[in-house]
Amino acid sequence: PPAATPSPTPHAQEPAQAQAYAAKLALLTEAERLASRRLAIQQERLHTMQGLREQGAATRQEVDNLRFQVLQAEADLSRARADVREQRMLMARVPAAMPAPAAPATPQPPADEAAPAQPGTALAPFAATAVQALVRPGDWVAQGTEVAVLQRRGEPLVHAYLPPDKARYAQVGRMATLHFMDGGKVRAKVVGLMMEAQSPPADRVSPLTPRTPSIVVKLQALEPLPAPYHIHQLPLDVRFDWVASRWF
């Protein structure tokens, strides 16, 4: 008779179970990060809208709608964090299947060279100030995970969305005027553009208007902006100086 195939023992199933738990934890942690990011964005919008409300540039209904969205985002983040905690408790019940491999020896740099960043630290790609933390100490993060919102030191850039038929304005050096919701006006100049078309933000487009891919240009104010205008994702209007169309 054919030999019976032995069923896998519980000990043999532990590595696969541990890997499955780790993969699910990574997904849940990513969901928690996105929920935290969503809450931060909603809180910024609510803060901005409350300021506009005090200046008479927004209605109470608009503020109440954003406040409700903040509550929803807080509830989503609470559920995501609960899922992560539950998954970690499940992983703690699974004994280690095998010892972790020893880390390879890292050669020490010479004394006259700058030491690299230590494990667990991250360096900003430019001089900036961290204005929002997206993870907490002890959280597990995968490579490429956003951990903080950074504010560049110096004058901010304004991103404007141009429809394809207005491409003549998407040139470095074009002049425009920034119109802020409180009535402020600042002259600006195009200093660059994104090399990929993007859809404009949903809150800046009518629900009846399709969000077609647009050209994104970067504008720099010709004079230092006041501190209230440094708020990330602050809504404003950009009006370019008129440029005649060319017919070929």
Side-chain angles (χ1 to χ4, degrees):
T5 302
S7 59
T9 63
H11 181 74
Q13 293 177 351
E14 290 174 1
Q17 187 178 16
Q19 291 178 0
Y21 280 177
K24 185 174 181 180
L25 177 61
L27 294 176
L28 293 176
T29 304
E30 176 67 10
E32 180 187 11
R33 181 192 69 81
L34 293 176
S36 177
R37 175 60 175 160
R38 190 180 305 111
L39 174 60
I41 293 175
Q42 296 294 355
Q43 289 175 336
E44 285 185 13
R45 290 178 176 176
L46 176 60
H47 178 73
T48 302
M49 191 63 67
Q50 288 175 335
L52 296 176
R53 169 64 176 167
E54 294 175 357
Q55 300 169 8
T59 64
R60 180 178 179 179
Q61 182 65 33
E62 291 174 325
V63 175
D64 290 341
N65 290 341
L66 281 179
R67 186 176 289 112
F68 178 72
Q69 294 177 15
V70 168
L71 293 176
Q72 285 185 321
E74 290 177 346
D76 293 341
L77 179 57
S78 297
R79 285 193 294 267
R81 287 176 175 173
D83 292 340
V84 171
R85 288 194 297 268
E86 181 180 358
Q87 187 64 20
R88 285 176 175 167
M89 292 177 60
L90 291 175
M91 292 184 63
R93 300 172 185 172
V94 179
M98 59 179 56
T106 303
Q108 298 296 328
D112 56 348
E113 292 186 7
Q118 297 297 321
T121 63
L123 298 179
F126 47 80
T129 301
V131 297
Q132 177 70 34
L134 304 181
V135 296
R136 297 170 298 173
D139 284 351
W140 183 91
V141 295
Q143 183 177 1
T145 301
E146 296 180 1
V147 297
V149 177
L150 303 180
Q151 184 179 56
R152 185 188 297 270
R153 297 172 185 172
E155 288 302 306
L157 295 177
V158 175
H159 288 188
Y161 295 80
L162 290 171
D165 60 341
K166 304 295 183 183
R168 61 183 181 277
Y169 296 104
Q171 295 185 20
V172 175
R174 294 293 191 198
M175 302 300 298
T177 302
L178 309 179
H179 291 255
F180 295 89
M181 297 303 175
D182 62 351
K185 299 180 182 179
V186 178
R187 294 287 290 171
K189 179 176 63 174
V190 176
V191 296
L193 61 152
M194 304 289 287
M195 290 295 101
E196 181 180 1
Q198 300 180 10
S199 298
D203 57 353
R204 300 292 291 166
V205 179
S206 170
L208 303 178
T209 303
R211 296 174 59 196
T212 57
S214 302
I215 302 172
V216 184
V217 299
K218 302 177 182 179
L219 297 104
Q220 180 81 60
L222 300 183
E223 59 186 65
L225 294 175
Y229 294 165
H230 285 236
I231 299 176
H232 181 55
Q233 294 186 345
L234 179 68
L236 61 114
D237 292 328
V238 179
R239 301 178 185 176
F240 289 86
D241 294 357
W242 184 79
V243 176
S245 301
R246 294 184 180 181
W247 297 90
F248 298 95

